Amino acid sequence: MSTLISEIPMVENLEDKITLKGNALESEAIYIMREVAAQFEKPVLLFSGGKDSITLVRLAQKAFYPAKIPFPLMHIDTGHNFPETIEFRDKLVEELGVELIVRQVQDSIDQGKVIEETGKYASRNSLQTTTLLDAIEEFKFDACIGGARRDEEKARAKERIFSVRDDFGQWDEKNQRPELFDMLNGKIEMGQNVRVFPISNWTELDVWSYIQQEQIEIPSIYFAHRRKTFLRDGLIWSAEDGVVFRAEDELVEERTVRFRTVGDMSCTAAVESEANTIEKVVSEIRVSKISERGARIDDKRSEAAMEKRKQQGYF
């Protein structure tokens, strides 16, 4: 999609190739951020406290420096987030002096708009959609900047950088605009809004390499640490939070683990790892043959789980 990526010159050294690609990806993302500010009246950056949204914040800083980021951050809080993530979120917002909007999935449950799941695989992750759409309507946001990448899940590969949603917040993959030569069309009809994906052309390794290059602070949960865990369906689950359902025969053991993604605790598994620095994480990701979404149980509910959620208005 990006003409910038295709213009990377040929080099022999791997580190030089990574740097050149990273610079092109950064330039593209900064261009997209500035287009959002120029074309939309009320944008917002969707912030989860995870590595992708943290990367978006750094890109937004660079895009508008020396001014502050010109739009708020919004977190749709499931109430089942890892404590390390929430602690980091609040610290970052205070340091940057940006506005943070938080809307709670619990409120949607209390209002009877969604029904909390129960049982072994219960999760609040899919319930975020209603809370998000209500927040977009409440604040009249016309563009929501998110950290989705094409390598995360196959439904993501159908996205445009400017992904138009109808007045019900729904996504129609057959009704998306062509994006030729990096020309981004932000024109929308009354009631529509756009999801914007500045790091759409990035991979998980690109994000980690950028975090390493920029020396960006991230939540400690991304690094290897000792944690009480249990096994289910071949995945490692946290046993420390009181959120994740655990059967009596699922034994708790201490393991050295880290999390590659930090979604809702009830659907996000850990991986065994000794990577306790960014350098070691980058090296680990470089040789990994498993997608980070492999540790997200909500994506495994059906072959089209993510696509169906997107069609309903999910991020």
Side-chain angles (χ1 to χ4, degrees), residues 274-287:
E274 298 291 336
N276 57 5
T277 66
I278 288 181
E279 290 75 18
K280 290 179 181 178
V281 170
V282 170
S283 297
E284 184 179 273
I285 297 300
R286 189 168 289 156
V287 299

Side-chain angles (χ1 to χ4, degrees), residues 45-206:
L45 193 155
L46 302 177
F47 187 79
S48 67
K51 67 184 185 310
D52 296 323
S53 57
I54 292 168
T55 297
L56 286 179
V57 170
R58 173 57 60 88
L59 291 165
Q61 284 182 279
K62 287 195 167 190
F64 304 106
Y65 182 83
K68 287 187 177 181
I69 297 172
F71 35 71
L73 277 55
M74 182 166 71
H75 183 203
I76 304 301
D77 187 352
T78 66
H80 291 174
N81 294 283
F82 291 98
E84 296 95 326
T85 307
I86 299 300
E87 180 182 344
F88 181 88
R89 178 200 70 185
D90 294 342
K91 176 185 172 185
L92 179 65
V93 167
E94 183 177 358
E95 288 176 353
L96 296 181
V98 296
E99 179 186 0
L100 173 67
I101 298 168
V102 179
R103 288 297 178 267
Q104 305 283 349
V105 170
Q106 183 64 54
D107 291 338
S108 298
I109 295 170
D110 294 343
Q111 294 161 11
K113 293 181 177 180
V114 294
I115 299 174
E116 180 138 39
E117 298 177 359
T118 58
K120 188 175 181 179
Y121 296 105
S123 170
R124 287 186 174 183
N125 204 46
S126 62
L127 306 185
Q128 293 179 88
T129 299
T130 297
T131 313
L132 171 61
L133 295 179
D134 284 349
I136 291 172
E137 176 62 26
E138 176 187 353
F139 293 97
K140 306 300 180 186
F141 292 127
D142 53 1
C144 299
I145 304 167
R149 308 186 319 269
R150 296 190 191 283
D151 70 323
E152 285 183 280
E153 204 274 348
K154 57 188 177 183
R156 298 292 199 199
K158 299 178 181 179
E159 287 280 17
R160 302 291 191 266
I161 290 175
F162 278 13
S163 180
V164 180
R165 308 301 169 98
D166 65 20
D167 51 0
F168 294 102
Q170 297 175 332
W171 173 71
D172 180 0
E173 75 278 11
K174 298 178 181 178
N175 189 29
Q176 296 296 311
R177 301 164 178 166
E179 290 178 337
L180 305 174
F181 310 109
D182 292 326
M183 296 179 66
L184 303 174
N185 179 4
K187 186 175 181 180
I188 54 176
E189 303 295 334
M190 181 70 71
Q192 291 181 329
N193 61 79
V194 170
R195 307 293 165 82
V196 181
F197 304 115
I199 60 172
S200 181
N201 285 324
W202 298 44
T203 65
E204 183 189 10
L205 180 58
D206 291 329

Side-chain angles (χ1 to χ4, degrees), residues 82 84 220-229 238 240 254-259 270-271 273-276:
F82 291 98
E84 296 95 326
S220 59
I221 199 167
Y222 278 114
F223 300 112
H225 57 284
R226 296 292 291 177
R227 196 178 192 92
K228 292 180 180 178
T229 62
S238 174
E240 292 186 347
E254 267 207 358
R255 294 178 174 86
T256 301
V257 300
R258 71 179 194 86
F259 290 83
V271 294
S273 173
E274 298 291 336
N276 57 5

